[in-house]
Amino acid sequence: MEMNNKNIINRLKRTEGQVRGIQKMIEDNKECMDIMTQLSAVRSSIDRVMGMIVAENLKDCFEHPENSPEEQAKKLEQAINMIIKK
């Protein structure tokens, strides 16, 4: 997953900035709807990062299959469960 780490870290840093912005909005008593809009954007950003990680995990499963079919099936099931729990 190393190739994609930079993209994931950049997205998380952007999300971190959004969260700081929301904290400032709350401190500045901004409108509730504006805060909710920003919270929704953060949630979408986190969902996107989760999707990137799961996709990378699935890609890794196919590019580097386990020697044992049972282990490969277990890895794929774990990746699928991550998607479903999302």
Side-chain angles (χ1 to χ4, degrees), residues 4-20:
N4 232 358
N5 278 354
K6 186 176 179 185
N7 290 340
I8 290 170
I9 295 296
N10 285 340
R11 282 191 179 273
L12 287 172
K13 285 181 180 180
R14 227 175 296 139
T15 303
E16 182 182 13
Q18 287 176 295
V19 171
R20 281 200 199 107

Side-chain angles (χ1 to χ4, degrees), residues 29-64:
N29 294 313
K30 296 293 182 187
E31 291 293 320
C32 178
M33 285 308 299
D34 293 338
I35 293 169
M36 294 305 292
T37 299
Q38 290 305 310
L39 285 169
S40 179
V42 167
R43 180 174 25 198
S44 295
S45 180
I46 294 293
D47 285 345
R48 206 168 296 117
V49 170
M50 290 172 68
M52 290 169 70
I53 291 171
V54 171
E56 200 61 35
N57 188 9
L58 282 172
K59 184 178 164 193
D60 187 60
C61 282
F62 290 114
E63 289 179 353
H64 305 100

